[in-house]
């Protein structure tokens, strides 16, 4: 094996990421030992933010965007190194997306009614200190994206990050406060604690200063937040199906589905988790996936082995989450070439590897008798999460029927799932999709409360 420049750069960057993980600690801006202290610091920062103009808030956000771009690679490497999940190149793209496409203060708008009886405004006001709980699958992406939106709305934020991604999260919090200070803002716009736990999460939710809780994660955390007695925004789990009908451009559908499914090793909650394809299109879809998209078609015996590996006693084996296809196959004793990026197999919708949200590039394919049957199966697989779904079809009647039946926060047509995040599609970026509580794709305006401001019988100058 010869060592070239890119390999040397890769080794150096990995070592730097490891060193950063070891060094990231209590010394960072906004990192506290105690949750109460973190909330108090964020409360003081929010008092300063309240007095700042929108223009000043936007200056901090601009600096956050710049710093996120500057640190995209180190954050990506730290995330992969710490959690063992995901793909560095894709995580760099995710950080760039957050930096470039997360809405800032332009999302904070005023609605006005002007008429004979005067002028009435509805304005978007800050909640104060927001409590946010973040996942290990997109740790720093979520923390930076949430902070941009929350700050644009005039809030500060306290994070209880996933313990498995704690150091990457602490590093991101420090970066956010550095950006604020560099742009003339206060320290502690984002705070967290050195060792987040379920207890610290609960104490955050109960704290009197926290009026809004934003939870991004699986069903457990969303249920906990919705039981807290406070206003909660719940961005919960998904199991997004991709439906393919006979009118689709099958070659493109194969490419889009595999690209979406393998992005960051299938960690995004929106990524394609299974395929439902009408019988007429199934053979050619599978052929394109194998011949042109680097898919490995697993035999029945290999699928059984994968099931025993991935689902142990019915529980998801976290050692498999976010791993690439080659590593997963290696774990069951199958060695493949480097170009294999996704494992596919055929099965019934009830197959555990199809109906469970796996977050790894294993893509079960379900055949349907016709379009109606495909819709029924896809809706069943989405499990009422109302999160995300995809369709590859040129029949607008079919697309409309599917959209109504599946009723998800996101429906992407004829593109990879990540088009929903503004990556290869129009629209803004978010890593908190409030499927369960109905806000959908969150942005700055989601993190504000509405206030009506009425001037009776004056200021109408029409
Ligand atoms: P997870 O549910 O294990 O953890 C998420 C966060 O919740 C962590 O900070 C964790 O410590 C905390 N948590 C878990 N149970 C809790 C409880 N009972 N009380 C308080 N806090 C609790 O999820 P994960 O593995 O980090 O992330 C993957 C899951 O999150 C998937 O199900 C994925 O679909 C979902 N997700 C959803 C979105 C979205 O925008 N809807 C985005 C990313 C991830």
């Amino acid at each position: 094996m010869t060592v070239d420049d890119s390999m040397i750069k890769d080794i150096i960057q990995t070592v730097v990421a490891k060193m950063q993980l070891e060094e990231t600690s209590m010394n960072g801006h906004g990192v506290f030992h105690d949750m109460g202290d973190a909330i108090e610091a964020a409360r003081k920062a929010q008092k300063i933010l309240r007095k700042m103009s929108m223009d000043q808030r936007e200056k901090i956000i601009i600096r956050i965007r710049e710093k996120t771009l500057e640190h995209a690679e180190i954050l990506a490497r730290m995330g992969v190194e710490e959690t063992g999940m995901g793909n560095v190149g894709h995580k760099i793209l995710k950080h760039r997306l957050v930096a470039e496409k997360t809405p800032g203060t332009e999302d904070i708008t005023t609605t006005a009614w002007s008429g004979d009886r005067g002028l009435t405004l509805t304005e978007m006001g800050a909640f104060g200190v927001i409590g946010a709980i973040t996942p290990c699958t997109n740790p720093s992406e979520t923390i930076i994206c949430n902070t941009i939106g929350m700050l644009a709305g005039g809030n500060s934020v306290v994070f209880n990050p996933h313990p498995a991604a704690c150091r990457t999260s602490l590093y991101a919090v420090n970066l956010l406060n550095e950006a604020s200070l560099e742009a003339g803002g206060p320290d502690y716009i984002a705070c967290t604690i050195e060792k987040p736990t379920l207890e610290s999460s609960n104490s955050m939710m109960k704290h009197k200063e926290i009026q809004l809780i934003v939870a991004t994660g699986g069903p457990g955390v969303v249920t906990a937040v919705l039981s807290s007695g406070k206003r909660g925004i719940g961005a919960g789990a998904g199991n997004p199906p991709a439906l393919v009908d006979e009118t689709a451009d099958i070659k493109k559908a194969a490419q889009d589905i595999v690209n979406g499914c393998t992005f960051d090793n299938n960690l995004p909650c929106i990524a394609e988790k299974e395929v439902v394809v009408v019988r007429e299109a199934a053979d050619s879809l599978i052929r394109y996936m194998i011949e042109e998209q680097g898919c490995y078609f697993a035999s029945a015996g290999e699928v059984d082995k994968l099931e025993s590996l991935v689902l142990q006693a019915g529980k998801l084996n976290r050692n498999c989450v976010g791993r690439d296809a080659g590593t997963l196959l290696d774990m069951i004793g199958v060695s493949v070439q480097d170009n294999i990026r996704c494992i596919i197999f055929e099965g019934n919708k009830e197959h555990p590897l199809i109906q469970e949200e796996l977050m790894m590039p294993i893509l079960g394919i379900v055949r349907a008798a016709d379009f109606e049957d495909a819709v029924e199966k896809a809706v069943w697989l989405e499990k009422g999460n109302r999160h995300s779904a995809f369709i590859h079809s040129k029949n607008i009647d079919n697309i409309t029927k599917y959209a109504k039946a599946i009723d998800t926060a996101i429906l992407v047509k004829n593109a990879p799932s990540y088009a929903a995040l503004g990556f290869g599609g129009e629209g803004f970026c978010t890593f908190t999709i409030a499927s369960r509580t109905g806000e959908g794709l969150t942005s700055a305006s989601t993190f504000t409360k509405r206030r009506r401001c009425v001037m009776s019988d004056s200021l109408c100058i029409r």
Side-chain angles (χ1 to χ4, degrees), residues 219-400:
V221 65
V222 174
T223 301
V225 164
L226 295 183
S227 317
S228 69
K230 306 249 173 108
R231 164 117 199 264
I233 295 178
N239 191 37
L243 191 158
V244 183
D245 78 9
E246 70 286 359
T247 69
D249 176 341
I250 305 295
K251 184 179 161 88
K252 180 175 182 301
Q255 182 180 31
D256 288 348
I257 292 169
V258 178
N259 281 348
C261 170
T262 54
F263 189 61
D264 205 15
N265 293 343
N266 200 248
L267 286 178
C269 55
I270 58 154
E272 290 82 349
K273 299 288 189 282
E274 63 277 332
V275 174
V276 182
V277 53
V278 297
R279 198 159 36 202
E280 284 172 76
D283 289 340
S284 76
L285 182 77
I286 293 170
R287 198 178 62 247
Y288 280 125
M289 283 179 164
I290 297 169
E291 291 176 3
E292 297 187 8
Q293 296 305 325
C295 288
Y296 177 84
F297 193 92
S299 67
E302 288 163 347
V303 173
D304 287 347
K305 283 187 189 164
L306 280 170
E307 187 184 334
S308 316
L309 170 77
V310 168
L311 296 168
Q312 295 177 345
K315 285 195 119 186
L316 192 58
N317 177 356
R318 300 298 295 202
N319 287 331
C320 297
V321 172
R323 302 286 168 152
D324 61 55
T327 304
L328 292 167
L329 285 168
D330 199 43
M331 286 173 167
I332 58 159
V334 176
S335 73
V336 289
Q337 289 182 335
D338 286 350
N339 67 345
I340 291 301
R341 55 184 185 137
C342 189
I343 304 165
I344 57 171
F345 70 99
E346 270 198 64
N348 297 327
K349 70 179 189 321
E350 292 81 8
H351 193 291
L353 292 183
I354 297 182
Q355 62 159 308
E356 291 300 323
E357 184 199 28
L358 302 180
M359 295 179 283
M360 59 192 82
I362 297 178
L363 191 65
I365 299 174
V366 181
R367 276 181 203 244
D370 53 28
F371 182 73
E372 275 65 35
D373 185 36
V375 172
E376 208 173 292
K377 288 185 159 77
V379 169
W380 187 88
L381 283 162
E382 211 279 324
K383 295 186 168 177
N385 291 317
R386 306 279 195 273
H387 193 297
S388 300
F390 322 105
I391 182 164
H392 298 267
S393 169
K394 288 184 180 162
N395 180 328
I396 54 168
D397 292 338
N398 279 0
I399 294 174
T400 311

Side-chain angles (χ1 to χ4, degrees), residues 389-392 402 410-420:
F390 322 105
I391 182 164
H392 298 267
Y402 184 55
I410 288 173
L411 180 72
V412 177
K413 299 106 189 156
N414 300 323
S417 50
Y418 46 67

Side-chain angles (χ1 to χ4, degrees), residues 85 133-138 142 160-163 197-198 201-202 205 216-221 224-225 234-238 267-270 318 357 359 387 431-435:
M85 302 189 297
I133 301 170
T134 50
C136 57
T137 47
N138 321 303
T142 309
N160 199 78
H162 197 296
T197 58
L198 283 185
S201 178
N202 284 329
M205 287 193 249
T216 310
V221 65
V225 164
L267 286 178
C269 55
I270 58 154
R318 300 298 295 202
E357 184 199 28
M359 295 179 283
H387 193 297
F431 276 86
T432 296
I433 297 142
S435 40

